[in-house]
């Protein structure tokens, strides 16, 4: 099986460097939060399928804010891939590595990154054609120090990661400075509480802080 995550989509995620992870309960929040993130310099987002309106929110963002790289997270079943693709998701991710979901994503042409923690997870993902992997839950599993050790035997195979789970502005720089990390996912930029409170200026400010760290890393 060829690489499931398309190279052009991977490039866009790499350029973004940070993927804002969002849990949206009200579709009317979708476009304002996407615009707030963009205004703060964050151009990629993952809408989690933890609420029944995630797909509707995706469709609104794709229509109203097409410059945003908008993906879907928490894809747990193959049938969910159909809705995700139909509504224009740029990519999909999952907390674990379910071969049936990966096969469905590959068949539909959806760029997809399964979740991994252990070396066994990494090998399972590689076996089914995945080399861009979501490291989840990142901080609870040992953070960057653990990931360096767990990934070491596989780096020569071109494996790359997006850590997510407990990452915030205090750990962002360290993650981004490790070359195998394409981007970092995080919910701290636009928390569920901030979205519910429609705190768009706060979200924009959080995005701007993350953007500043990205620029500092890229300056070396």
């Amino acid at each position: 099986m060829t690489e499931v995550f398309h190279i052009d989509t991977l490039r866009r995620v790499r350029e973004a460097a940070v993927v804002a992870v969002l849990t949206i309960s009200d579709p009317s929040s979708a476009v304002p939060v996407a615009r707030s993130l963009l205004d703060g310099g964050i151009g990629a987002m993952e809408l989690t399928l933890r609420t029944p309106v995630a797909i509707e929110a995706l469709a609104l963002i794709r229509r109203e804010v097409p410059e945003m790289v908008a993906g879907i997270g928490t894809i747990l079943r193959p049938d969910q891939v159909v809705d995700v693709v139909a509504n224009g998701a740029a990519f999909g991710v999952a907390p674990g590595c379910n071969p049936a979901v990966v096969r469905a994503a590959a068949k539909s042409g959806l760029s997809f990154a399964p979740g991994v923690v252990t070396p066994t997870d990494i090998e399972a993902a590689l076996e089914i054609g995945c080399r861009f992997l979501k490291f989840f839950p990142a901080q609870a599993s040992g953070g960057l120090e653990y990931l360096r050790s767990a990934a070491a035997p596989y780096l020569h195979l071109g494996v790359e990661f997006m850590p997510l789970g407990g990452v915030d502005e205090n750990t962002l720089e360290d993650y981004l400075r490790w070359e195998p990390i394409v981007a970092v996912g995080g919910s701290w930029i636009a928390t569920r509480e901030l979205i519910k409170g429609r705190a768009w200026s706060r979200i924009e400010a959080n995005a701007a802080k993350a953007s500043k760290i990205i620029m500092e890393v890229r300056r070396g």
Side-chain angles (χ1 to χ4, degrees):
M1 184 183 291
T2 57
E3 169 60 50
V4 178
F5 211 98
H6 307 156
I7 189 168
D8 56 335
T9 308
L10 187 64
R11 174 186 53 78
R12 296 180 71 193
V13 173
R14 194 187 305 276
E15 288 174 353
V18 168
V19 177
V21 179
L22 314 179
T23 302
I24 292 180
S25 302
D26 181 351
S28 69
S29 298
V31 170
V33 73
R35 287 177 173 157
S36 297
L37 290 168
L38 280 175
D39 288 345
I42 297 299
M45 65 195 305
E46 171 199 326
L47 294 157
T48 69
L49 288 178
R50 299 182 186 183
T51 69
V53 303
I55 296 294
E56 182 180 355
L58 169 67
L60 288 168
I61 291 166
R62 293 292 297 121
R63 185 171 68 242
E64 301 294 333
V65 197
E67 61 270 39
M68 173 63 73
V69 182
I72 288 286
T74 324
I75 301 176
L76 305 178
R77 305 187 314 271
D79 62 281
Q80 292 175 314
V81 173
V82 176
D83 284 341
V84 168
V85 172
N87 286 278
F91 62 89
V93 298
C97 186
N98 183 335
V101 174
V102 174
R103 285 194 295 269
K107 183 178 180 180
S108 69
L110 176 68
S111 290
F112 187 80
V116 300
V117 174
T118 68
T120 300
D121 294 339
I122 295 173
E123 289 189 20
L126 289 170
E127 182 67 20
I128 53 178
C130 300
R131 286 177 174 78
F132 177 46
L133 311 174
K134 171 180 170 179
F135 172 48
F136 175 84
Q139 290 301 95
S141 299
L144 180 58
E145 183 178 1
Y146 169 82
L147 180 59
R148 284 179 183 272
S149 297
Y154 310 102
L155 295 181
H156 68 288
L157 300 175
V159 67
E160 296 180 296
F161 298 92
M162 179 172 70
L164 193 155
V167 183
D168 59 23
E169 62 185 44
N170 297 314
T171 52
L172 176 60
E173 181 175 350
D174 288 340
Y175 275 110
L176 288 179
R177 289 193 182 280
W178 193 47
E179 188 175 354
I181 289 177
V182 169
V184 172
S187 58
W188 85 92
I189 299 173
T191 65
R192 194 168 187 169
E193 292 71 26
L194 287 176
I195 296 171
K196 281 185 176 181
R198 306 182 75 82
W200 312 134
S201 60
R202 285 276 305 281
I203 291 171
E204 181 180 344
N206 288 345
K209 288 180 183 178
S211 296
K212 183 178 179 181
I213 293 171
I214 294 168
M215 288 187 289
E216 290 173 352
V217 169
R218 288 176 173 167
R219 283 198 297 262

